[in-house]
Amino acid sequence: MKALVCVKQVVDHKVKIRIRQDRSGVDTADVKLSINPFDEIAVEEAVRLKEKGAIGEIVAVSAGGAGVADVLRTALAMGADRAIHLQSDAALAPLTVAKALAALCDEENPDLILLGKQAIDDDCNQVGQMLAALRDLPQATNASEITLADGSATVTREVDGGLETLRLTLPAAITADLRLNAPRNISLPSIMKAKKKPLESRSLESLGVATTSRLTTLRVDEPAARAAGVMVDDVDALVSKLKNAEQLI
Ligand code: AMP
């Protein structure tokens, strides 16, 4: 059994986002970049499934510029066996990434494709679903529990009304939610060991996928600043303020 785990490099979740002066996007110059948190959870799940003997090989894949090799090294240090860097300096739209991953699946034939439920930079929540649609694969999004047995995956997912449990025939695409697991800390020996693991780099175009996007970002704005809070002297003052605020709504 082989798992393909898709990891994206994003601005670290602890960094305060800055918008470029021309409002064309988020400024990533001199900013700490890290593995997308949901993808870290996806890698952790693949490693746990391998530790249980349900998976034999874990292949991590990331599409993007030279820097994404760093997140692949993180995945290797967490326990992935090898990594593939789909090199492209273009701004990659979710559909382009999904097409590249679909073409890679045709070559790698994974039994399980694990992704994050969304990348925290653009919050698209699209690639997993698009990939499944492109290759007509069973899909389960927002997984909070995964078990593999007899060529199928049983996935629990959090939905508005509670928990939903699905059984998917493999190969399938599953996207990881926050509560699937808590990723391990990476030890220094694992980082050293990861340096010796294979990291293949190839152009995204080598998969026959064009990087021309049909999406145009018109403008990126910061969220409106919140109005300052006010201190009130007592409960009566608070109630009166709330009543006035209600009238404003
Ligand atoms: P998105 O649809 O952009 O929110 O991304 C959902 C998931 O798709 C991410 O959590 C990753 O697992 C995967 N993904 C998105 N972009 C890339 C990329 N450039 N390289 C590899 N995986 C990606």
mmCIF file of all heavy atoms in Angstrom, residues 222-243:
data_model
loop_
_atom_site.group_PDB
_atom_site.id
_atom_site.type_symbol
_atom_site.label_atom_id
_atom_site.label_comp_id
_atom_site.label_asym_id
_atom_site.label_seq_id
_atom_site.Cartn_x
_atom_site.Cartn_y
_atom_site.Cartn_z
ATOM 1 N N GLU A 222 -6.668 44.151 3.544
ATOM 2 C CA GLU A 222 -6.627 43.703 4.941
ATOM 3 C C GLU A 222 -8.050 43.737 5.480
ATOM 4 O O GLU A 222 -8.861 44.550 5.036
ATOM 5 C CB GLU A 222 -5.781 44.675 5.766
ATOM 6 C CG GLU A 222 -4.346 44.640 5.359
ATOM 7 C CD GLU A 222 -3.421 44.879 6.540
ATOM 8 O OE1 GLU A 222 -3.910 44.885 7.680
ATOM 9 O OE2 GLU A 222 -2.227 45.044 6.295
ATOM 10 N N PRO A 223 -8.362 42.885 6.487
ATOM 11 C CA PRO A 223 -9.695 42.985 7.114
ATOM 12 C C PRO A 223 -9.846 44.366 7.759
ATOM 13 O O PRO A 223 -8.846 44.947 8.200
ATOM 14 C CB PRO A 223 -9.672 41.893 8.185
ATOM 15 C CG PRO A 223 -8.438 41.096 7.947
ATOM 16 C CD PRO A 223 -7.516 41.874 7.078
ATOM 17 N N ALA A 224 -11.075 44.866 7.776
ATOM 18 C CA ALA A 224 -11.311 46.179 8.388
ATOM 19 C C ALA A 224 -10.863 46.139 9.848
ATOM 20 O O ALA A 224 -11.091 45.138 10.539
ATOM 21 C CB ALA A 224 -12.790 46.505 8.300
ATOM 22 N N ALA A 225 -10.219 47.218 10.295
ATOM 23 C CA ALA A 225 -9.753 47.263 11.691
ATOM 24 C C ALA A 225 -10.964 47.284 12.615
ATOM 25 O O ALA A 225 -11.986 47.907 12.297
ATOM 26 C CB ALA A 225 -8.908 48.505 11.894
ATOM 27 N N ARG A 226 -10.838 46.580 13.739
ATOM 28 C CA ARG A 226 -11.967 46.562 14.688
ATOM 29 C C ARG A 226 -12.016 47.879 15.446
ATOM 30 O O ARG A 226 -10.980 48.444 15.787
ATOM 31 C CB ARG A 226 -11.766 45.428 15.691
ATOM 32 C CG ARG A 226 -12.174 44.087 15.128
ATOM 33 C CD ARG A 226 -11.960 42.991 16.119
ATOM 34 N NE ARG A 226 -12.698 43.217 17.362
ATOM 35 C CZ ARG A 226 -12.612 42.432 18.425
ATOM 36 N NH1 ARG A 226 -11.823 41.378 18.399
ATOM 37 N NH2 ARG A 226 -13.295 42.669 19.517
ATOM 38 N N ALA A 227 -13.237 48.341 15.741
ATOM 39 C CA ALA A 227 -13.369 49.567 16.535
ATOM 40 C C ALA A 227 -12.866 49.281 17.951
ATOM 41 O O ALA A 227 -12.989 48.148 18.434
ATOM 42 C CB ALA A 227 -14.831 49.980 16.568
ATOM 43 N N ALA A 228 -12.278 50.303 18.580
ATOM 44 C CA ALA A 228 -11.738 50.114 19.929
ATOM 45 C C ALA A 228 -12.860 49.758 20.905
ATOM 46 O O ALA A 228 -14.005 50.213 20.740
ATOM 47 C CB ALA A 228 -11.051 51.388 20.366
ATOM 48 N N GLY A 229 -12.559 48.963 21.914
ATOM 49 C CA GLY A 229 -13.557 48.624 22.932
ATOM 50 C C GLY A 229 -13.769 49.792 23.895
ATOM 51 O O GLY A 229 -12.988 50.741 23.903
ATOM 52 N N VAL A 230 -14.851 49.752 24.659
ATOM 53 C CA VAL A 230 -15.090 50.799 25.660
ATOM 54 C C VAL A 230 -15.246 50.154 27.029
ATOM 55 O O VAL A 230 -15.737 49.025 27.138
ATOM 56 C CB VAL A 230 -16.360 51.632 25.354
ATOM 57 C CG1 VAL A 230 -16.109 52.645 24.266
ATOM 58 C CG2 VAL A 230 -17.525 50.739 25.016
ATOM 59 N N MET A 231 -14.803 50.846 28.055
ATOM 60 C CA MET A 231 -14.978 50.364 29.426
ATOM 61 C C MET A 231 -16.254 50.997 29.963
ATOM 62 O O MET A 231 -16.488 52.196 29.782
ATOM 63 C CB MET A 231 -13.793 50.791 30.309
ATOM 64 C CG MET A 231 -12.459 50.206 29.874
ATOM 65 S SD MET A 231 -12.415 48.418 30.045
ATOM 66 C CE MET A 231 -12.295 48.247 31.808
ATOM 67 N N VAL A 232 -17.082 50.193 30.604
ATOM 68 C CA VAL A 232 -18.296 50.757 31.222
ATOM 69 C C VAL A 232 -18.170 50.651 32.740
ATOM 70 O O VAL A 232 -17.463 49.776 33.243
ATOM 71 C CB VAL A 232 -19.570 50.024 30.727
ATOM 72 C CG1 VAL A 232 -19.879 50.373 29.294
ATOM 73 C CG2 VAL A 232 -19.440 48.531 30.897
ATOM 74 N N ASP A 233 -18.875 51.552 33.447
ATOM 75 C CA ASP A 233 -18.702 51.612 34.903
ATOM 76 C C ASP A 233 -19.468 50.515 35.621
ATOM 77 O O ASP A 233 -19.032 49.999 36.646
ATOM 78 C CB ASP A 233 -19.179 52.978 35.428
ATOM 79 C CG ASP A 233 -18.256 54.069 34.927
ATOM 80 O OD1 ASP A 233 -17.073 53.741 34.685
ATOM 81 O OD2 ASP A 233 -18.720 55.217 34.732
ATOM 82 N N ASP A 234 -20.647 50.181 35.100
ATOM 83 C CA ASP A 234 -21.453 49.192 35.814
ATOM 84 C C ASP A 234 -22.387 48.467 34.840
ATOM 85 O O ASP A 234 -22.427 48.789 33.652
ATOM 86 C CB ASP A 234 -22.260 49.867 36.934
ATOM 87 C CG ASP A 234 -23.008 51.075 36.407
ATOM 88 O OD1 ASP A 234 -23.437 51.011 35.241
ATOM 89 O OD2 ASP A 234 -23.148 52.070 37.144
ATOM 90 N N VAL A 235 -23.174 47.534 35.388
ATOM 91 C CA VAL A 235 -24.056 46.720 34.550
ATOM 92 C C VAL A 235 -25.101 47.582 33.853
ATOM 93 O O VAL A 235 -25.409 47.381 32.668
ATOM 94 C CB VAL A 235 -24.719 45.622 35.407
ATOM 95 C CG1 VAL A 235 -25.758 44.849 34.589
ATOM 96 C CG2 VAL A 235 -23.664 44.668 35.937
ATOM 97 N N ASP A 236 -25.636 48.585 34.565
ATOM 98 C CA ASP A 236 -26.662 49.437 33.949
ATOM 99 C C ASP A 236 -26.120 50.123 32.703
ATOM 100 O O ASP A 236 -26.778 50.194 31.667
ATOM 101 C CB ASP A 236 -27.152 50.495 34.956
ATOM 102 C CG ASP A 236 -27.974 49.832 36.060
ATOM 103 O OD1 ASP A 236 -28.404 48.674 35.823
ATOM 104 O OD2 ASP A 236 -28.145 50.437 37.135
ATOM 105 N N ALA A 237 -24.897 50.623 32.834
ATOM 106 C CA ALA A 237 -24.278 51.307 31.685
ATOM 107 C C ALA A 237 -24.085 50.324 30.532
ATOM 108 O O ALA A 237 -24.296 50.669 29.364
ATOM 109 C CB ALA A 237 -22.945 51.909 32.108
ATOM 110 N N LEU A 238 -23.713 49.087 30.892
ATOM 111 C CA LEU A 238 -23.501 48.061 29.848
ATOM 112 C C LEU A 238 -24.813 47.773 29.113
ATOM 113 O O LEU A 238 -24.875 47.757 27.881
ATOM 114 C CB LEU A 238 -22.943 46.785 30.489
ATOM 115 C CG LEU A 238 -22.797 45.587 29.550
ATOM 116 C CD1 LEU A 238 -21.777 45.874 28.450
ATOM 117 C CD2 LEU A 238 -22.384 44.338 30.298
ATOM 118 N N VAL A 239 -25.904 47.583 29.919
ATOM 119 C CA VAL A 239 -27.214 47.265 29.323
ATOM 120 C C VAL A 239 -27.654 48.406 28.422
ATOM 121 O O VAL A 239 -28.102 48.191 27.281
ATOM 122 C CB VAL A 239 -28.251 46.982 30.432
ATOM 123 C CG1 VAL A 239 -29.659 46.897 29.852
ATOM 124 C CG2 VAL A 239 -27.882 45.712 31.177
ATOM 125 N N SER A 240 -27.466 49.620 28.873
ATOM 126 C CA SER A 240 -27.893 50.756 28.066
ATOM 127 C C SER A 240 -27.082 50.828 26.767
ATOM 128 O O SER A 240 -27.607 51.069 25.691
ATOM 129 C CB SER A 240 -27.782 52.022 28.919
ATOM 130 O OG SER A 240 -27.194 53.051 28.234
ATOM 131 N N LYS A 241 -25.776 50.541 26.866
ATOM 132 C CA LYS A 241 -24.935 50.553 25.644
ATOM 133 C C LYS A 241 -25.390 49.482 24.668
ATOM 134 O O LYS A 241 -25.486 49.723 23.456
ATOM 135 C CB LYS A 241 -23.467 50.270 26.027
ATOM 136 C CG LYS A 241 -22.681 51.484 26.423
ATOM 137 C CD LYS A 241 -21.373 51.548 25.610
ATOM 138 C CE LYS A 241 -20.649 52.861 25.848
ATOM 139 N NZ LYS A 241 -21.183 53.953 25.095
ATOM 140 N N LEU A 242 -25.678 48.297 25.220
ATOM 141 C CA LEU A 242 -26.094 47.194 24.345
ATOM 142 C C LEU A 242 -27.413 47.521 23.656
ATOM 143 O O LEU A 242 -27.598 47.222 22.477
ATOM 144 C CB LEU A 242 -26.226 45.890 25.148
ATOM 145 C CG LEU A 242 -24.896 45.265 25.591
ATOM 146 C CD1 LEU A 242 -25.148 44.066 26.486
ATOM 147 C CD2 LEU A 242 -24.074 44.843 24.381
ATOM 148 N N LYS A 243 -28.338 48.175 24.411
ATOM 149 C CA LYS A 243 -29.633 48.535 23.813
ATOM 150 C C LYS A 243 -29.422 49.494 22.648
ATOM 151 O O LYS A 243 -30.010 49.350 21.589
ATOM 152 C CB LYS A 243 -30.534 49.172 24.870
ATOM 153 C CG LYS A 243 -31.242 48.117 25.699
ATOM 154 C CD LYS A 243 -32.271 48.753 26.585
ATOM 155 C CE LYS A 243 -32.965 47.690 27.415
ATOM 156 N NZ LYS A 243 -33.538 48.241 28.638
#
